[in-house]
Amino acid sequence: MTQSIIIIVLLILLLVVLSGMCYSIYSLVLLDAKSRGNKHPRFWSLLAAGGQNGGGLLLYLFSRRKTISLATSVEQEQIQRLKRKIYYLMALLFFLFLSFVTVLVYFN
């Protein structure tokens, strides 16, 4: 009983962190694509944030290398803030995953 409650709580936390990370990547790519003047920035954002293996993000990175960023200092600060947020979410995701594996191993 205790194991199932802990596993459910960890899974819910994992989903919340993954959702936050997906939204942060979407926001970061949207801001970057707009600052570079790319056509259809929302399409690139959805493509980059929606892929499970990161293929969309790689495709966006390859397509953007031909453009120059015209971001203002405010936009650059937002980009840096979003990058830090993604790093923190990745660390939290790693910690939650290790906790999940530990609970599975410990209780079995």
Side-chain angles (χ1 to χ4, degrees), residues 19-29 82 85-86 89:
S19 300
M21 194 160 134
C22 186
Y23 180 73
S24 296
I25 291 172
Y26 172 83
S27 300
L28 180 67
V29 172
L82 283 168
K85 185 177 179 181
I86 290 170
L89 288 172

Side-chain angles (χ1 to χ4, degrees), residues 21-50 56-61 63-64 78-79 82-83 86:
M21 194 160 134
C22 186
Y23 180 73
S24 296
I25 291 172
Y26 172 83
S27 300
L28 180 67
V29 172
L30 181 65
L31 189 61
D32 186 64
K34 282 183 180 179
S35 72
R36 292 177 181 274
N38 287 358
K39 293 181 181 177
H40 313 293
R42 291 189 193 273
F43 167 74
W44 286 110
S45 298
L46 285 173
L47 186 67
L57 184 59
L58 286 175
L59 188 62
Y60 171 71
L61 291 174
S63 73
R64 82 174 195 141
Q78 287 176 339
I79 288 173
L82 283 168
K83 284 181 182 180
I86 290 170

Side-chain angles (χ1 to χ4, degrees), residues 8-19 92-93 96:
I8 289 172
V9 168
L10 285 174
L11 284 175
I12 290 171
L13 288 174
L14 278 168
L15 287 175
V16 168
V17 170
L18 281 172
S19 300
L92 184 59
L93 184 66
L96 287 172

Side-chain angles (χ1 to χ4, degrees), residues 62-73:
F62 283 132
S63 73
R64 82 174 195 141
R65 67 183 175 162
K66 301 173 190 168
T67 60
I68 298 172
S69 178
L70 302 173
T72 63
S73 61

Side-chain angles (χ1 to χ4, degrees), residues 74-90:
V74 174
E75 289 174 338
Q76 288 175 352
E77 180 61 35
Q78 287 176 339
I79 288 173
Q80 291 302 321
R81 205 174 324 127
L82 283 168
K83 284 181 182 180
R84 278 193 303 267
K85 185 177 179 181
I86 290 170
Y87 293 148
Y88 294 145
L89 288 172
M90 285 173 55

